[in-house]
Amino acid sequence: MDRLSNTVRPYAWGSTTAIPALLGIAPTGEPQAEMWMGAHPGAPSRITRTTASGEIELALTDAIDADPEGELGAPTVARFGPRLPFLLKLLAAGAPLSVQVHPDLDQAREGYTDEEARGVPIDAPHRTYKDANHKPELICALTPFAGLCGFRPPTEAADAMEALGVDSLKPYVDLLRAHPEEAALREVLTAILGANPAEMAETVTEAAAAAERLGGAHAPYARIAHHFPGDPGVLAAMLLNYVQLQPGEALFLGAGVPHAYLDGLGVEIMANSDNVLRCGLTPKHIDVPELLRIVRFEATEPGVLRPEAAPSGEERYETPVDEFALSRYTLASGAAPTDLTAPTPQILLCTAGTVRVGELPLGPGESAYVPAGERVEATGPGTLFRATVAA
């Protein structure tokens, strides 16, 4: 197994303190948004391997490319190809992320093929599909964590907008109440994204001031508007469920479900993809026609997940995807070693205490990669997250 050296991405919405606090290091003053653990080509983890000529440092992607079946196991390669099918992250939101959705597998393949055929450069700011994969994801809270997840019933969204007392919101309120669910949500989101920018900025400014005055259930939207004044995404956010996770609780985000993370530190796992379609709260490109094709216009409950405990001590977060599985172990001091050996590749992340994985001691925020089939045991005291491929 290998200790991982991981990249922290400094996205503007990142917390300046959460990841440094977990790692026990001084903040730099710059945002530290995501620590990536895995073999994503954008920021692969690095490992140190012993060879005949001595120790060398290399990217995990290079190690996997050199021996896919040895690293991932033949069944994983047969199912997903010669690449690690998941990406694990520490995510620290100090400000709202963009409201966004992800495509399903067929939509991703179609979109990627279309943009490739049209010759859209992979790094172009208006490029939507960076790869041909879907991007289901799961976020598990390490601290109290706030987010938006899925459409709420149109009548609830209408009541929330009407309570603001802003005249220019009345057409949206009327649409939400006059049509069946799918049509109401589609028409209002389309209208919000297609509105005159100057007029929309004025509406959002009035709505934000009213939300600030009202507080309560409107307070999250006032905070969002503080970070994105005049952005139509503030109104798009009002169509969505607000959810607060306590440590250990999680959310699963499937294809077509609009969502945004607002504040907090969590462990995130996803299929190894970069495909994101944005709805607002961003200066980046918004492909409105493609977004409207991908979004599932249906009201849904956020569906907060709690782990299911097994006799082995594993607490597993059940999701309907094949590319990843996330579980948690709380390892007591002096307890017998916990066997984590698996026929699939694994990334093990310590989030509290000190965990020994084989011969590697891991402190909070430290992680290890375990090739498929390699024997590994863990001892505490501490908390360990295990990312692997679904059985």
Side-chain angles (χ1 to χ4, degrees):
M1 74 191 69
D2 305 276
R3 181 184 296 277
L4 294 178
S5 175
N6 304 307
T7 297
V8 175
R9 309 305 292 262
Y11 304 135
W13 50 261
S15 167
T16 58
T17 58
I19 289 179
L22 183 68
L23 296 174
I25 61 176
T28 64
E30 298 298 317
Q32 298 188 39
E34 296 180 347
M35 176 185 287
W36 288 22
M37 291 159 279
H40 192 286
S45 299
R46 300 192 68 81
I47 61 175
T48 300
R49 289 277 172 94
T50 301
T51 68
S53 57
E55 287 192 342
I56 61 168
E57 185 183 78
L58 71 162
L60 184 56
T61 43
D62 293 336
I64 291 171
D65 288 345
D67 184 11
E69 291 197 359
E71 298 290 342
L72 306 177
T76 297
V77 173
R79 291 169 72 190
F80 304 108
R83 62 189 184 90
L84 190 67
F86 62 84
L87 176 64
L88 185 68
K89 299 179 180 180
L90 279 172
L91 184 146
L97 282 69
S98 60
V99 179
Q100 59 191 259
V101 296
H102 307 302
D104 64 26
L105 193 53
D106 289 339
Q107 291 165 340
R109 288 170 175 166
E110 292 168 6
Y112 181 79
T113 299
D114 173 66
E115 288 188 316
E116 286 289 281
R118 289 190 285 116
V120 182
I122 199 73
D123 58 351
H126 61 285
R127 173 93 185 210
T128 298
Y129 294 96
K130 304 299 179 66
D131 53 67
N133 200 17
H134 62 165
K135 192 174 179 278
E137 60 190 40
L138 175 81
I139 185 78
C140 176
L142 294 179
T143 67
F145 194 97
L148 305 170
C149 180
F151 288 111
R152 53 183 173 177
T155 53
E156 286 187 17
D159 290 344
M161 287 187 178
E162 187 173 48
L164 295 173
V166 176
D167 288 344
S168 53
L169 290 178
K170 190 175 186 305
Y172 304 136
V173 172
D174 291 344
L175 284 172
L176 288 167
R177 290 191 170 139
H179 297 286
E181 179 178 285
E182 191 274 342
L185 295 170
R186 179 183 291 276
E187 288 186 31
V188 171
L189 184 61
T190 302
I192 288 170
L193 296 179
N196 176 278
E199 293 176 0
M200 174 55 66
E202 185 175 340
T203 296
V204 171
T205 299
E206 290 184 47
E212 183 76 35
R213 289 193 303 272
L214 289 172
H218 288 85
Y221 306 102
R223 291 195 294 271
I224 292 169
H226 173 76
H227 290 283
F228 294 94
D231 193 301
V234 175
L235 298 187
M238 294 192 71
L239 301 175
L240 308 182
N241 296 295
Y242 175 71
V243 60
Q244 292 180 291
L245 301 178
Q246 296 306 308
E249 295 180 333
L251 282 176
F252 173 73
L253 292 313
V257 177
H259 61 278
Y261 302 145
L262 303 179
D263 182 71
L265 175 67
V267 175
E268 186 183 36
I269 189 168
M270 62 191 64
N272 207 347
S273 172
D274 263 347
N275 288 326
V276 175
L277 291 97
R278 295 173 177 85
C279 313
L281 308 185
T282 179
K284 295 182 179 179
H285 174 66
I286 298 178
D287 184 343
V288 175
E290 186 66 6
L291 171 71
L292 297 175
R293 187 178 80 89
I294 298 302
V295 171
R296 293 182 179 177
F297 290 97
E298 57 186 21
T300 57
E301 289 291 327
V304 174
L305 297 176
R306 296 171 182 85
E308 298 185 13
S312 64
E314 180 183 27
E315 297 177 301
R316 185 170 174 129
Y317 295 89
E318 295 295 339
T319 62
V321 298
D322 296 330
E323 285 87 349
F324 63 77
L326 185 71
S327 55
R328 182 182 65 177
Y329 292 83
T330 303
L331 304 169
S333 179
T338 298
D339 185 6
L340 300 179
T341 307
T344 51
Q346 305 180 70
I347 292 178
L348 305 176
L349 167 67
C350 176
T351 58
T354 300
V355 175
R356 181 168 288 275
V357 177
E359 298 302 315
L360 293 179
L362 300 178
E366 296 182 330
S367 55
Y369 165 73
V370 184
E374 183 168 321
R375 180 166 175 76
V376 58
E377 292 182 332
T379 56
T383 302
L384 188 72
F385 280 82
R386 175 200 213 181
T388 188
V389 179

